[in-house]
Amino acid sequence: MIEETETIEEFLEHRSADVEEAVRKAAAAEIMPRFRRLAAHEVDQKSGPHDLVTDADRLAERYLTDTLGALLPGSVVVGEEAVHADPAVYDALRGDAPVWIVDPVDGTRQFVHGDPGFCTLVCLARRGVLLASWTYAPALGRMATAVRGRGAFLDGRPLRCGTPEPGRPLRVAHSHPDYTTDEQKRTLLGLRRDGVDPRACGSAGLEYLALALGESDATAFSWEAAWDHAAGLLLVEEAGGAHVTLSGAPFRITGGNSLPFTAARDAATARRVIGFLAEPAGEVQVPAAG
């Protein structure tokens, strides 16, 4: 097992390109051959009709689990599908070993419907600290990377979030109604106000990339699964952005967060959005999912 953080930093200095290659190969071998070619028997439901899993998810995660574990001896993998099969796998996020956090197909619903708005997310963390991330959108031909303290990049070009343009409504992507409870919907109604342009999110990973690019201003998410957020949060941080939970504390990938939380192009915007979410919605009718 790797014992010192410096050793992990050395790994990232010399082997980041190998991780990127592994992510690309997983997509080329298991995801893209099935894009817009899925047979009915290759798609299953997990918790319900909006929570889908495909053979591409399972096989890409297996590929990455084998490859990433071999690249960094002593590391462990916390993948979305592995946790679905055995929730105890998630506990590795709180352990001492380096952890690869993997979402093989983030935006499975888009993938199933032939929409190119999906990506593969990989993040390396240790003791709850995000160290490096890879966000790959194979159908869009985009690879975003970040290493703590070394910046964020899209296809090799530096990323900076910048700040929202004064006077323009804030563009905020929020949890999709299909995946929220009535209570969460009421909280998200705090975004329905002048000066905010809210919309339901697609792939979480691509929403974080939009933040890092300055194409969106903030997110408002009501769930904390690490595979959805870890890679994107580091990408946004390294591009100059910020994140905060409803309690005012930064988001923790180990869990126990006060939800919802926001990531934003800068700290001032993050505080502004969390202020909107903290305000009671009052007696309002919750919009129907759709």
Side-chain angles (χ1 to χ4, degrees):
M1 178 183 294
I2 289 182
E3 296 295 342
E4 300 295 335
T5 302
E6 289 76 18
T7 306
I8 299 177
E9 291 175 349
E10 186 175 80
F11 169 84
L12 292 171
E13 179 73 28
H14 300 293
R15 305 295 301 275
S16 289
D18 295 334
V19 180
E20 179 176 330
E21 182 182 16
V23 174
R24 290 183 183 274
K25 284 185 174 180
E30 306 295 357
I31 299 172
M32 291 310 292
R34 294 176 171 85
F35 183 48
R36 295 175 177 164
R37 298 181 182 90
L38 283 168
H41 69 272
E42 295 179 297
V43 183
D44 295 313
Q45 294 183 16
K46 291 194 284 188
S47 63
H50 301 300
D51 188 11
L52 303 176
V53 63
T54 73
D55 284 3
D57 296 77
R58 298 186 183 101
L59 294 171
E61 183 169 307
R62 186 181 306 166
Y63 184 106
L64 288 166
T65 298
D66 293 342
T67 305
L68 297 174
L71 281 175
L72 184 58
S75 63
V76 296
V77 177
V78 172
E80 178 177 6
E81 306 316 324
V83 173
H84 178 70
D86 179 7
V89 171
Y90 206 80
D91 294 339
L93 292 174
R94 305 175 187 91
D96 290 331
V99 181
W100 298 102
I101 305 168
V102 174
D103 190 341
V105 182
D106 179 60
T108 298
R109 182 158 71 170
Q110 287 84 352
F111 177 74
V112 168
H113 289 98
D115 184 326
F118 62 90
C119 59
T120 298
L121 301 174
V122 172
C123 185
L124 180 63
R126 191 181 187 194
R127 299 183 184 127
V129 178
L130 307 177
L131 301 173
S133 76
W134 294 261
T135 299
Y136 182 43
L140 301 174
R142 290 179 140 187
M143 172 68 78
T145 60
V147 176
R148 179 162 296 280
R150 301 183 195 170
F153 299 86
L154 175 62
D155 300 323
R157 301 188 305 276
L159 286 172
R160 296 299 298 175
C161 293
T163 57
E165 180 183 345
R168 181 178 48 73
L170 290 178
R171 299 163 296 179
V172 182
H174 60 77
S175 301
H176 196 287
D178 287 344
Y179 304 100
T180 52
T181 65
D182 284 352
E183 181 179 355
Q184 290 167 344
K185 288 181 176 69
R186 290 188 180 93
T187 300
L188 293 171
L189 285 173
L191 300 173
R192 305 285 174 175
R193 64 179 67 229
D194 292 340
V196 181
D197 181 15
R199 62 174 176 80
C201 75
S203 153
L206 293 185
E207 297 294 358
Y208 285 118
L209 177 56
L211 273 183
L213 285 164
E215 296 174 350
S216 178
D217 298 317
T219 61
F221 290 149
S222 51
W223 79 99
E224 58 180 357
W227 48 79
D228 286 323
H229 304 302
L233 285 173
L234 183 61
L235 189 72
V236 169
E237 279 188 71
E238 288 298 313
H243 55 87
V244 65
T245 65
L246 198 61
S247 70
F251 182 87
R252 300 182 303 270
I253 62 162
T254 49
N257 294 284
S258 178
L259 300 173
F261 77 99
T262 183
R265 292 174 65 182
D266 59 16
T269 303
R271 290 192 296 269
R272 185 179 174 194
V273 171
I274 213 68
F276 297 156
L277 296 170
E279 293 182 10
E283 294 299 322
V284 294
Q285 184 172 354
V286 177

